[in-house]
């Protein structure tokens, strides 16, 4: 009897959990970053062209390649800012800038080539947001299959929007959404 009741309770929990995902409509904006979303968020855009070069870039710097992560780069001094340096420049970036110890020695030219961005003249700092990986065939996010990934997809989109809204307060710091195609992705 108890075994049967436990089975029923487990089935009820499973049904409730899976049916809540069915109620969530995955929109086009959730599947990929759209031009419509960018009208509101106002990102400049770039790309790493390949996932493995993105990953290797951070491994070479002694860190991990995080997606949905932000970094600040000093264009004038060719300097990748640490977390502490970044929040001294803009304290409200405290929750946006990634807090990991990296020693990235890169010139502005190398950064521009790696991220495929163009920076306005007389820029001092740029904010780089490495977006969730996308499928190069159709531009859909890695998480856009729905189901159990729906929560992750919603969080990714909310986080990106929060980053954009915060960066809109910094007129002197251009912000870039760096797309990361899954070309060269090798699941472990």
């Amino acid at each position: 009897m108890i075994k049967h009741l436990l089975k029923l309770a487990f089935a009820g929990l499973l049904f409730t959990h899976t049916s809540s995902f069915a109620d969530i409509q995955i929109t086009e904006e959730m599947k990929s970053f759209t031009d419509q979303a960018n009208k509101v968020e106002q990102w400049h855009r770039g790309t790493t062209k390949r996932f493995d070069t993105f990953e290797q870039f951070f491994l070479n710097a002694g860190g991990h390649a995080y997606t949905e992560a932000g970094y600040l780069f000093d264009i004038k001094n060719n300097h990748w800012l640490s977390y502490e340096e970044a929040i001294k420049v803009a304290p409200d970036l405290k929750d946006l800038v990634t807090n990991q110890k990296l020693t990235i020695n890169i010139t502005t030219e190398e950064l521009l080539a790696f991220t495929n961005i163009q920076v306005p003249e007389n820029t001092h700092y740029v904010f780089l947001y490495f977006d969730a990986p996308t499928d190069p065939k159709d531009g859909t996010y890695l998480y856009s299959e729905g189901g159990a990934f729906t929560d992750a997809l919603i969080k990714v989109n909310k986080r990106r929007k929060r980053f954009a809204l915060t960066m809109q307060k910094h007129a002197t710091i251009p912000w870039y959404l760096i797309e990361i195609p899954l070309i060269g992705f090798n699941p472990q």
Side-chain angles (χ1 to χ4, degrees):
M1 173 84 160
I2 292 176
K3 195 175 188 180
H4 179 69
L5 289 173
L6 287 173
K7 282 183 184 178
L8 286 175
F10 179 71
L13 283 172
L14 184 63
F15 177 75
T16 303
H17 182 68
T18 55
S19 65
S20 66
F21 287 121
D23 296 338
I24 297 173
Q25 186 77 16
I26 295 182
T27 64
E28 280 304 308
E29 180 187 353
M30 290 170 64
K31 290 180 184 176
S32 64
F33 186 65
T34 63
D35 291 334
Q36 186 63 34
N38 204 29
K39 286 178 183 170
V40 174
E41 296 179 36
Q42 303 173 3
W43 290 99
H44 300 283
R45 294 168 83 172
T47 179
T48 61
K49 292 194 178 178
R50 296 180 57 94
F51 184 86
D52 52 355
T53 55
F54 159 71
E55 189 174 46
Q56 194 61 49
F57 176 82
F58 285 97
L59 288 173
N60 289 345
H64 297 285
Y66 294 114
T67 59
E68 302 107 50
Y71 301 89
L72 208 56
F73 185 79
D74 182 337
I75 293 285
K76 289 187 177 182
N77 297 306
N78 291 318
H79 179 64
W80 193 279
L81 275 67
S82 69
Y83 175 79
E84 292 78 15
E85 292 168 325
I87 61 173
K88 282 181 185 172
V89 170
D92 61 340
L93 299 183
K94 158 178 107 148
D95 294 332
L96 305 185
V97 177
T98 301
N99 188 2
Q100 67 171 319
K101 301 291 183 205
L102 294 172
T103 306
I104 298 178
N105 296 315
I106 188 171
T107 66
T108 297
E109 292 75 23
E110 290 169 327
L111 176 77
L112 298 179
F114 170 62
T115 57
N116 294 286
I117 61 174
Q118 294 181 353
V119 177
E121 286 187 39
N122 301 320
T123 297
H124 191 147
Y125 299 105
V126 294
F127 178 79
L128 304 170
Y129 172 76
F130 292 92
D131 202 13
T134 56
D135 185 329
K137 293 178 194 132
D138 59 8
T140 57
Y141 281 124
L142 175 66
Y143 304 120
S144 62
E145 298 91 20
F149 293 107
T150 303
D151 279 347
L153 186 61
I154 291 167
K155 287 176 187 171
V156 164
N157 282 284
K158 284 181 181 178
R159 183 172 169 84
R160 187 196 69 231
K161 288 176 187 176
R162 185 170 56 90
F163 278 44
L165 290 173
T166 301
M167 291 310 301
Q168 288 174 12
K169 299 172 191 169
H170 295 278
T172 61
I173 302 174
W175 63 97
Y176 296 84
L177 177 102
I178 309 299
E179 295 174 333
I180 307 164
L182 284 172
I183 298 168
F185 178 72
N186 187 11
Q188 300 299 317

